[in-house]
């Protein structure tokens, strides 16, 4: 692994990103030898989905019908829609509450994946994910790509929980431009590490697609500006690594326009019994996000 550390350091250079990369690689054990191409269900290729609760297909407990958290297959997100459209199996490694740091750093602060602010427990400490793994989502991805050389697609959506953490842990709810810029910089640094590990350690050079986030209100300038800033940070790093950007923001914007800019009223978010909406996509919303990914591949 030593030669990979040296090579990656040269790729990233000196600075915060380089330091984060060296630390990340040092935490990764030797990867398994590459497996022979799969036959049967995966013979025509496989799909690896990475990310947070949006990719997971999370449904809140107060939704009707209530979700079964002990049956991960009952949660269906855009990765399952994409896999069906491409006719290939998907390994959905996403974890609700994952941050760009907890994605690859063991024990890093998440927003409910393995831990939460003020708590040492999270979703995956109590409930199963779509795929079972120990360690970080990054480690699972590297092992998966090493043993599935016929992977046709990798998608990722991550970064929103970094902003949510800032909102939850600062006195002004991350309202300061300086605080937001600091979070966006951390996202860029962490995504640089994540993508470099995928491209240069796992040696995956196939299609890599980052899905950007939709706005919870297209009529609220503050909400739109914040979402666009987050998406811009994600897109800029993704494109540097030859990845493509699926426009989740635009996917919801058009249909929401007919409802005053509200994705809730447009039926794209999960409706709750009190008439409001949860922040997570409805089945119709997931289909639009899947289409955004399909449009760029």
């Amino acid at each position: 692994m030593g030669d990979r550390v040296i090579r990656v350091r040269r790729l990233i250079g000196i600075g915060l990103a380089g330091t984060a990369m060296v630390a990340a690689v040092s935490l990764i054990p030797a990867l398994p030898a590459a497996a022979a191409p799969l036959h049967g269900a995966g013979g025509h290729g496989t799909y690896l989905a990475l990310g947070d609760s949006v990719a997971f297909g999370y449904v809140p407990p107060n939704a009707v019908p209530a979700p079964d958290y002990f049956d991960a297959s009952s949660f269906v997100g855009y990765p399952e829609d994409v896999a069906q459209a491409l006719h290939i199996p998907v390994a959905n490694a996403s974890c609700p509450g994952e941050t760009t740091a907890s994605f690859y750093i063991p024990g890093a602060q998440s927003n409910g994946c393995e831990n939460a602010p003020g708590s040492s427990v999270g979703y995956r400490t109590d409930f199963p994910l779509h795929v079972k793994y120990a360690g970080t989502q990054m480690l699972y991805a590297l092992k998966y790509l090493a043993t599935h050389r016929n992977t046709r697609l990798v998608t990722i959506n991550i970064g929103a929980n970094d902003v949510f953490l800032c909102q939850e842990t600062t006195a002004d709810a991350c309202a300061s431009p300086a605080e937001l810029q600091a979070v966006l910089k951390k996202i860029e640094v962490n995504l640089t590490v994540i993508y470099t590990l995928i491209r240069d350690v796992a040696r995956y050079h196939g299609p890599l697609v980052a899905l950007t986030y939709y706005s919870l209100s297209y009529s609220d300038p503050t909400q739109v500006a914040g979402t666009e800033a987050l998406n811009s940070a994600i897109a800029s790093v993704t494109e540097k690594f030859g990845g493509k950007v699926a426009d989740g923001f635009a996917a919801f914007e058009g249909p929401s326009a007919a409802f005053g800019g509200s994705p809730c009223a447009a039926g794209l978010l999960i409706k709750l019994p009190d008439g409001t909406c949860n922040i997570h996509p409805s089945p119709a919303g997931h289909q639009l996000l899947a289409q955004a990914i399909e449009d760029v591949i």
Side-chain angles (χ1 to χ4, degrees), residues 56-57 59 66-77 123 130:
F56 186 82
V59 177
D68 182 357
Y69 291 108
F70 293 98
D71 180 10
S73 66
S74 65
F75 296 92
V76 179
Y123 190 94
H130 288 290

Side-chain angles (χ1 to χ4, degrees):
M1 211 41 139
D3 61 329
R4 288 181 178 172
V5 174
I6 294 173
R7 179 162 53 87
V8 167
R9 288 190 72 174
R10 289 172 178 168
L11 282 167
I12 292 211
I14 305 300
L16 181 58
T19 302
M21 173 57 67
V22 174
V25 173
S26 69
L27 295 171
I28 298 171
L31 297 178
L38 292 178
H39 298 286
H44 298 292
T46 63
Y47 163 30
L48 174 63
L50 307 169
D52 55 27
S53 57
V54 178
F56 186 82
Y58 180 81
V59 177
N62 54 338
V64 178
D68 182 357
Y69 291 108
F70 293 98
D71 180 10
S73 66
S74 65
F75 296 92
V76 179
Y78 69 81
E80 286 70 33
D81 291 333
V82 171
Q84 184 176 29
L86 297 179
H87 305 291
I88 55 176
V90 59
N92 187 342
S94 59
C95 182
E98 193 84 278
T99 63
T100 58
S102 65
F103 186 94
Y104 73 95
I105 302 173
Q109 183 66 64
S110 74
N111 191 38
C113 176
E114 280 197 315
N115 54 48
S119 174
S120 61
V121 299
Y123 190 94
R124 66 178 289 196
T125 60
D126 291 335
F127 307 113
L129 301 180
H130 288 290
V131 294
K132 184 177 181 180
Y133 57 90
T136 64
Q137 192 172 165
M138 182 82 258
L139 181 57
Y140 174 84
L142 294 177
K143 289 181 176 179
Y144 182 91
L145 293 171
T147 54
H148 296 77
R149 290 302 182 186
N150 59 345
T151 300
R152 285 177 52 191
L153 173 67
V154 175
T155 63
I156 185 170
N157 78 269
I158 199 161
N161 283 298
D162 297 61
V163 179
F164 292 154
L165 270 180
C166 181
Q167 293 173 340
E168 294 166 19
T169 59
T170 57
D172 62 352
C174 208
S176 162
E179 288 172 330
L180 179 59
Q181 286 304 312
V183 173
L184 296 179
K185 180 60 179 177
K186 288 181 180 178
I187 290 173
E188 291 175 351
V189 168
N190 290 334
L191 279 177
T192 297
V193 174
I194 291 166
Y195 288 152
T196 303
L197 289 172
I198 289 174
R199 291 301 201 198
D200 295 285
V201 174
R203 299 179 183 178
Y204 172 76
H205 300 291
L208 174 63
V209 179
L211 175 68
T212 60
Y213 290 93
Y214 48 86
S215 177
L216 297 178
S217 172
Y218 290 89
S219 61
D220 181 348
T222 301
Q223 174 70 224
V224 168
T227 307
E228 289 183 326
L230 171 60
N231 289 341
S232 178
I234 293 169
S236 65
V237 181
T238 301
E239 291 168 347
K240 289 178 183 177
F241 285 83
K244 295 185 178 183
V245 179
D247 197 343
F249 184 91
F252 277 28
E253 184 176 23
S256 298
F259 295 87
S262 170
C264 176
L268 304 181
L269 301 177
I270 297 173
K271 286 287 181 66
L272 300 177
D274 63 1
T276 63
C277 284
N278 183 256
I279 66 173
H280 293 92
S282 65
H286 277 293
Q287 289 175 4
L288 288 180
L289 296 178
Q291 186 62 56
I293 292 172
E294 293 160 26
D295 286 345
V296 300
I297 61 174

